[in-house]
Amino acid sequence: MKLTTKGRYAVTAVLDLALHCEKGPVTLADIAERQKLSLSYLEQLFSKLRKAEVVKAVRGPGGGYLLGSTTENISVSEIIDAVEEKVDATQCGGQGDCNKGMACLTHTLWQDLNDQVHGFLKGVSIASLMERSAVKQVALRQDAGPQDEPQIVTLED
Amino acid sequence: MKLTTKGRYAVTAVLDLALHCEKGPVTLADIAERQKLSLSYLEQLFSKLRKAEVVKAVRGPGGGYLLGSTTENISVSEIIDAVEEKVDATQCGGQGDCNKGMACLTHTLWQDLNDQVHGFLKGVSIASLMERSAVKQVALRQDAGPQDEPQIVTLED
DNA sequence: GAAAAGCTGAGTAATTTAGTTGGTTAAAAG
DNA sequence: CTTTTAACCAACTAAATTACTCAGCTTTTC
Ligand code: FES
Ligand code: FES
């Protein structure tokens, strides 16, 4: 099973987008700045998100990205599926053939785990994430800007 | 989140062990043969499993491995935890600090996913796996030996 | 004392990840 | 119509991780 920063970044970025796209398109530069992510890396992720129609792009000045659907209709599962090749717990990729061409002892277990994870992630929408108090708090802090950014003190000689 | 062949191999191997340890210790060589796994790799995994007391070792000729507990008391979760460093969906390792030292927008989501996966894997015991008809069938096939192993035909010149 | 098995640590090839570089288009602003 | 903005795209790279192998040691039985 694979759930790496790729998927996590994507969800974080789309959530940030959702929190800021009321007044029009949001640029990747803004998202990168707020979430401390690499702009070029985000571009790659959003390329995939656009192809999966999770987001819509607006080119040119004043452009940026918009959500491809309502916040209720975008699930975390969709976002991760768009950027990761597969969130799959099985070895065989669902083929049931990792013991010399036949099912291994634990194939059904990993399939069940797949269903479990997928079901959970499918049930979480961007809208429901936005309602969480923890998310609201973090968003508030990030929007306030870096005015009280903890300063790293380096002792120089 | 990390669920790789390491964890899958471990569960498969322990399940194989459970299915064959009635008449005494089972050697890793046997398990490797039946499950088509690398012997040296299994040795590494069982070293960790032994330290986590999931299995017991018996050295010398006639030796091998036994379960460290009853099949009802060994959960899949335990096995994976023993060999993988961590099955953790968060970026921060639970510290809540991946946005320049503070919680990122999606921290709570990954924590919830963690609970979900962990809860599921904790609920599956070796005993319950052994009762599955799919597992029984695969075990039967594997015990019958390689008599009708599908022959790979290579065209030589 | 030879063989069977477990035990251990170091090393390695392949793969994947996370990210950079260096551009090009499309659209709006001036 | 030129400049600027921001999306779009492909290729490349460094670092990390994984899935192993190899070589040798230790314990126990026959
Ligand atoms: S995981 Fe599907 S056959 Fe082994
Ligand atoms: S995943 Fe924990 S702070 Fe981001």
Side-chain angles (χ1 to χ4, degrees), chain B residues 27-28 43 47 50 57-59 61 64-65:
Chain B
T27 68
L28 287 190
E43 283 178 341
S47 167
R50 182 175 51 84
V58 181
R59 297 179 76 154
Y65 284 93

Side-chain angles (χ1 to χ4, degrees), chain B residues 24-153:
Chain B
V26 182
T27 68
L28 287 190
D30 283 354
I31 297 178
E33 158 70 19
R34 265 193 301 268
Q35 305 305 326
K36 307 292 167 198
L37 306 176
S38 143
L39 174 59
S40 319
Y41 199 36
L42 272 185
E43 283 178 341
Q44 286 178 44
L45 300 183
F46 272 72
S47 167
K48 293 183 178 177
L49 289 171
R50 182 175 51 84
K51 279 164 193 160
E53 298 187 333
V54 174
V55 299
K56 273 183 298 202
V58 181
R59 297 179 76 154
Y65 284 93
L66 294 168
L67 291 181
S69 176
T70 63
T71 54
E72 286 83 14
N73 278 332
I74 302 177
S75 71
V76 171
S77 167
E78 246 179 295
I79 298 173
I80 295 181
D81 284 352
V83 295
E84 311 257 17
E85 305 323 321
K86 266 256 170 110
V87 177
D88 187 355
T90 63
Q91 174 91 331
C92 58
Q95 298 308 302
D97 59 357
C98 70
N99 185 268
K100 57 166 184 169
M102 313 201 72
C104 70
L105 272 178
T106 44
H107 179 73
T108 54
L109 171 64
W110 311 126
Q111 263 187 333
D112 289 354
L113 178 58
N114 268 359
D115 293 347
Q116 194 78 8
V117 169
H118 225 82
F120 174 74
L121 293 177
K122 211 165 191 167
V124 181
S125 69
I126 288 291
S128 71
L129 280 180
M130 288 170 74
E131 277 159 23
R132 295 189 182 204
S133 68
V135 172
K136 283 180 187 169
Q137 277 178 20
V138 174
L140 217 62
R141 166 164 57 77
Q142 291 176 341
D143 286 346
Q147 82 264 23
D148 57 355
E149 187 166 354
Q151 203 69 31
I152 305 289
V153 180

Side-chain angles (χ1 to χ4, degrees), chain A residues 40-55:
Chain A
S40 321
Y41 200 36
L42 271 185
E43 283 179 341
Q44 284 178 48
L45 300 182
F46 271 72
S47 168
K48 291 182 180 179
L49 289 170
R50 182 176 51 84
K51 279 164 193 160
E53 298 186 332
V54 174
V55 299

